Amino acid sequence: MRRTRLVAALAVSGLLLAACATLHTTPGWTPRPAAEPDLVLAVDAADPPPPAVADGLDTRLLYTADPGAGVGARWAEIPGNPRFNEELRARVKDAIDAQAAATGVRFRPAADAPGGSRGCAPGAASRPAAEIAADPALTPQTGGPTVTIVCEIAAASGTVLAESLRIVAAVAGEVLTDTTRLYYADTAGEFLTTADTLLTDDGLRTLLARVVQSLKVGAGALEPQMKEDPASFPIEQLRAWFADFSFGADGSLTVRLPEGFSTAELERLADVPPTSTVAVTVPAADASALLSADGKRVQSALASGAPLTLPTAPARGQEDVDCAFFACIALTYDDGPGPYTADVLDTLASRRSAATFFLQGVYVSRYRSLLLRMRDEGHQLANHTWNHPDLRKLPAPEIADQIARTNALIRSITGTTPSMFRPPYGAYDDTVLAAAGLPAILWSRDTNDWQRPGDAALYERAVTLAKPGDIVLMHDVHQSTARMAAPIIDGLLDRGFTLVTVEQILGGTPAAGTATKR
Amino acid sequence: MRVGRILLVTLPVAGVLAGALLLVPPALAQVPSAPLASDSTFTLGARDGTGFVSVTLSAGWTRIGTGPFLPDDRATLVAPDGVYRVELELVPGSPSTPDGADSVPGQVGKELAAVIDAASWSTETLLAGNEVRYTSCPDGGDAVTVAIVDPPRALTAAHGTGTVPDDVRFVLVASAPADEAPRYRTVTADLVSSAVFSRERPAPSPIGEPQS
């Protein structure tokens, strides 16, 4: 009976205990904080950084709509930085030469661009290659083989310029190859490197570990640290993965991950976002540890936020221009200087273009400062006689005097002596050529602007009908010609012309006593 | 008549005893034990005695259940703040099954089969060498995380000769209110990361033995 009571009591106690027992908690206890991602992770942040502002660059354009070998190339050079310019131009030439070798069609500069745009474009480095090949503004739509070169200014601040150069080879719009190289250059030429040298090998491995850790944190991994050994990844693989990066204004480093980026441990996680939509940002202080010496210089310069500074550079007319590569054209202005010459000079200067001014001696004294501008801004000063007579009607001594007086005055002002002359009305004979003692420069395209044909007609004659190698005749003493200088020069540049002096387009000074063909 | 009297006395007693035997174990299984007084290891043993797994718990953790009727291979624990609850189970099984191709082993797996049927699984090899496959999914107002931990493959390679069993799997089913669940992910991580498999029952720590 006692045992029965004991069992009953135990049972009742157990039930009571079960009914009454409560969970004791520990006030203040909280879970261990989760690991923070090493890097700032932005999903759906595939948008590129805002376009950099880089005024003053020398935008180059080649456009040849040859069905046998089309070329559309645009890139930006740094005036006064031959190292950078030669590097980029060499890549452009190599691509064009490769196409020529493949097609057997020699490249000839043609200035066939449809117009409307030139220079680097935001997004050019990331735009689908097929779009580039199908864009008539960038690629001649010939139905044949084409090579397209586009550029994008990735960053520009202080003395650092970052420019992507992308080369797309295609046949009838079908992309064959697509390569992009991002250059970082000190504008003054102190260094020139490509993006793949800015991160050290150790920096790439560290970056990999931190990217993986950050993605694992984002995916809710239980142990976010990278387990694989970063050193087991080929360094070229890491460079390819981390090729698309940019520096922020605060010195941070943002890396946009490519499609296909993954590691074995990431592939085993369910919630890793598509990496093509992911950008990771390394804070400035941490980014420095990943960078080479050049990388740190770039980081520092871009973090300054200063506008791009460019070195002192020779003007276009003072450069050695390869007119077998660029589609050269020489604008010539006769009869000045005059009241509109300054406007023409302004237009030329703002477009980094050169021209040749055939000056009448009688007006020179009135516009001495303009002659100095012409000289300093790289234009060619040439002789158009003292007062515009028909030289054929003058005896030899007077012909010589017309030329000599004008040359002497120009020399007295500028310190340089014109080496070419243009006979008024284009009128010359053997006597004129012999007496002048200078080569006679005529023209291949007469705009007849002195007849005031109207803006559209003038534009058509100067731009639409122009061909590479043309020497174009205009007169800066006409207000309409000066007013049309901007649209004409823009139109020529948009077509892919490079505006040079007569001396440049002829490759030197012709022999005295000769005349260029009309 | 005497037999009748005996029956009259003993039948109620037997009824009470039977009732106690039926009602008390389940009741006691819901009774929280006293919280741990210090950091400790907690051990589960396989039913057939072929292996054990231990996890590290900090002070304040509470096992749900008390008395002599608790199973050796399963346990329910509650985190010190009472918000996070986890069921642990050591089940027979082979870790060689391909990722994601099998169902959740053990009793808790059966209970959650419908919930986790369409879940996406992740797999990690932990620093300790354990391989864990896990997923999270909603269950009512809770978020449930299921993790299946396999012993380190390197240590189980020599079947029958290693110190780590190759025929047991450690299953963990954790639940917390859905809006708070992300905070408790580290709790799950710590439990999983601290899991140590052994063939022999480890030496007892302050609560190293199953409470039996």
Side-chain angles (χ1 to χ4, degrees):
Chain A
M1 196 63 184
R2 265 187 200 168
R3 183 173 291 177
T4 302
R5 283 180 185 164
L6 180 61
V7 170
L10 281 173
V12 170
S13 299
L15 292 170
L16 286 173
L17 183 62
C20 301
T22 56
L23 184 68
H24 295 283
T25 59
T26 305
W29 184 91
T30 57
R32 174 176 61 81
E36 294 290 332
D38 283 348
L39 308 176
V40 178
L41 200 68
V43 181
D44 297 327
D47 291 342
V53 176
D55 294 330
L57 297 178
D58 188 5
T59 56
R60 311 311 297 259
L61 173 61
L62 302 175
Y63 199 103
T64 299
D66 186 330
V71 172
R74 60 190 65 215
W75 71 100
E77 297 182 352
I78 301 172
N81 187 334
R83 185 180 171 196
F84 177 79
N85 300 342
E86 286 165 11
E87 169 69 24
L88 266 62
R89 208 176 297 178
R91 282 209 72 212
V92 173
K93 281 186 172 177
D94 287 348
I96 293 173
D97 289 348
Q99 177 177 249
T103 60
V105 178
R106 186 166 159 242
F107 170 74
R108 295 179 192 278
D112 294 331
S117 70
R118 61 179 186 270
C120 300
S126 54
R127 191 176 173 191
E131 274 187 28
I132 290 173
D135 186 343
L138 304 175
T139 306
Q141 301 300 299
T142 62
T146 56
V147 60
T148 309
I149 299 168
V150 292
C151 59
E152 178 173 2
I153 303 302
S157 185
T159 61
V160 170
L161 175 77
E163 178 177 343
S164 286
L165 194 69
R166 184 177 184 186
I167 302 175
V168 177
V171 173
E174 184 178 341
V175 175
L176 303 178
T177 61
D178 177 16
T179 57
T180 301
R181 190 173 296 174
L182 176 55
Y183 291 92
Y184 283 86
D186 178 90
T187 54
E190 283 195 32
F191 71 87
L192 170 62
T193 189
T194 48
D196 56 1
T197 68
L198 299 190
L199 293 162
T200 63
D201 290 358
D202 284 344
L204 287 164
R205 295 185 186 106
T206 302
L207 183 59
L208 173 66
R210 300 182 72 176
V211 167
V212 170
Q213 188 270 358
S214 302
L215 287 169
K216 289 182 73 175
V217 169
L222 298 176
E223 286 184 351
Q225 63 268 48
M226 184 178 180
K227 303 287 174 46
E228 295 170 275
D229 181 2
S232 67
F233 289 79
I235 207 69
E236 291 311 313
Q237 171 79 83
L238 302 185
R239 289 202 188 285
W241 276 344
F242 303 138
D244 184 6
F245 63 81
S246 56
F247 291 96
D250 60 353
S252 59
L253 180 71
T254 295
V255 182
R256 285 165 290 281
L257 300 182
E259 187 177 352
F261 169 83
S262 191
T263 66
E265 59 191 293
L266 289 174
E267 286 174 2
R268 301 174 81 195
L269 298 178
D271 296 323
V272 177
T275 52
S276 60
T277 66
V278 172
V280 293
T281 298
V282 187
D286 297 341
S288 297
L290 310 178
L291 300 173
S292 64
D294 280 346
K296 288 173 184 167
R297 292 177 67 175
V298 169
Q299 179 196 34
S300 173
L302 296 183
S304 72
L308 185 69
T309 56
L310 297 173
T312 303
R316 173 72 78 229
Q318 296 160 331
E319 291 178 342
D320 182 12
V321 179
D322 180 0
C323 289
F325 185 61
F326 293 105
C328 293
I329 193 167
L331 298 186
T332 62
Y333 291 97
D334 285 10
D335 294 353
Y340 310 115
T341 303
D343 295 339
V344 174
L345 287 172
D346 291 345
T347 302
L348 289 164
S350 62
R351 290 158 177 80
R352 193 172 169 70
S353 293
T356 302
F357 291 87
F358 287 94
L359 305 169
Q360 287 193 51
V362 68
Y363 299 127
V364 162
S365 294
R366 200 184 305 171
Y367 297 101
R368 287 170 175 264
S369 62
L370 288 183
L371 265 71
L372 294 173
R373 269 196 73 185
M374 290 175 189
R375 179 199 64 187
D376 295 343
E377 294 173 7
H379 304 295
Q380 184 177 353
L381 287 74
N383 191 316
H384 198 39
T385 73
W386 183 260
N387 57 2
H388 210 266
D390 182 344
L391 295 177
R392 293 173 303 181
K393 298 176 179 174
L394 298 181
E398 285 190 35
I399 295 170
D401 182 63
Q402 284 276 335
I403 302 299
R405 284 176 66 195
T406 303
N407 262 12
L409 183 55
I410 293 172
R411 182 175 59 245
S412 71
I413 295 169
T414 64
T416 60
T417 304
S419 59
M420 301 176 183
F421 89 107
R422 174 171 285 165
Y425 317 108
Y428 70 96
D429 55 22
D430 290 344
T431 303
V432 171
L433 291 179
L438 296 175
I441 306 300
L442 300 182
W443 55 87
S444 59
R445 190 156 304 282
D446 189 350
T447 62
N448 285 314
D449 59 332
W450 58 276
Q451 295 176 328
R452 294 179 176 78
D455 292 351
L458 181 57
Y459 184 90
E460 182 183 21
R461 294 169 188 173
V463 178
T464 310
L465 299 177
K467 290 184 170 55
D470 267 349
I471 296 174
V472 182
L473 171 60
M474 291 187 286
H475 300 81
D476 54 326
V477 290
H478 300 302
Q479 192 271 341
S480 57
T481 298
R483 176 169 46 76
M484 284 298 290
I488 286 172
I489 293 170
D490 283 339
L492 291 169
L493 293 172
D494 285 350
R495 279 192 55 188
F497 281 108
T498 297
L499 277 62
V500 297
T501 64
V502 168
E503 190 170 12
Q504 287 172 312
I505 206 167
L506 295 178
T509 302
T514 63
T516 61
K517 292 178 183 175
R518 198 180 277 205
Chain B
M1 193 63 182
R2 181 178 175 80
V3 171
R5 283 191 65 185
I6 290 172
L7 286 174
L8 192 64
V9 172
T10 55
L11 277 178
V13 171
V16 168
L17 283 172
L21 287 172
L22 287 172
L23 294 174
V24 169
L28 291 179
Q30 303 304 317
V31 175
S33 303
L36 297 180
S38 61
D39 294 355
S40 309
T41 58
F42 181 84
T43 300
L44 295 177
R47 285 184 182 173
D48 59 3
T50 55
F52 298 85
V53 66
S54 300
V55 294
T56 301
L57 300 175
S58 63
W61 277 81
T62 301
R63 179 174 189 177
I64 302 300
T66 189
F69 310 109
L70 296 176
D72 195 28
D73 61 342
R74 293 182 62 186
T76 300
L77 300 168
V78 177
D81 63 356
V83 175
Y84 175 93
R85 183 185 183 97
V86 61
E87 293 180 55
L88 310 178
E89 185 174 7
L90 189 64
V91 300
S94 167
S96 59
T97 311
D99 289 344
D102 60 349
S103 59
V104 181
Q107 185 60 35
V108 290
K110 292 175 188 168
E111 294 165 2
L112 282 168
V115 178
I116 60 177
D117 186 42
S120 298
W121 291 83
S122 294
T123 304
E124 286 184 61
T125 301
L126 305 178
L127 287 173
N130 294 338
E131 184 139 308
V132 57
R133 199 165 69 86
Y134 58 92
T135 189
S136 294
C137 50
D139 182 20
D142 286 348
V144 174
T145 297
V146 180
I148 304 162
V149 187
D150 291 323
R153 286 180 177 172
L155 300 180
T156 62
H159 180 72
T161 61
T163 57
V164 174
D166 62 352
D167 50 2
V168 293
R169 314 183 81 182
F170 175 41
V171 180
L172 176 154
V173 179
S175 61
D179 56 343
E180 294 191 74
R183 284 204 308 132
Y184 289 89
R185 197 157 187 83
T186 55
V187 181
T188 302
D190 289 345
L191 286 172
V192 167
S193 298
S194 70
V196 176
F197 291 87
S198 60
R199 286 194 176 281
E200 305 295 331
R201 183 179 291 275
S205 76
I207 62 150
E209 298 297 316
Q211 296 185 355
S212 57

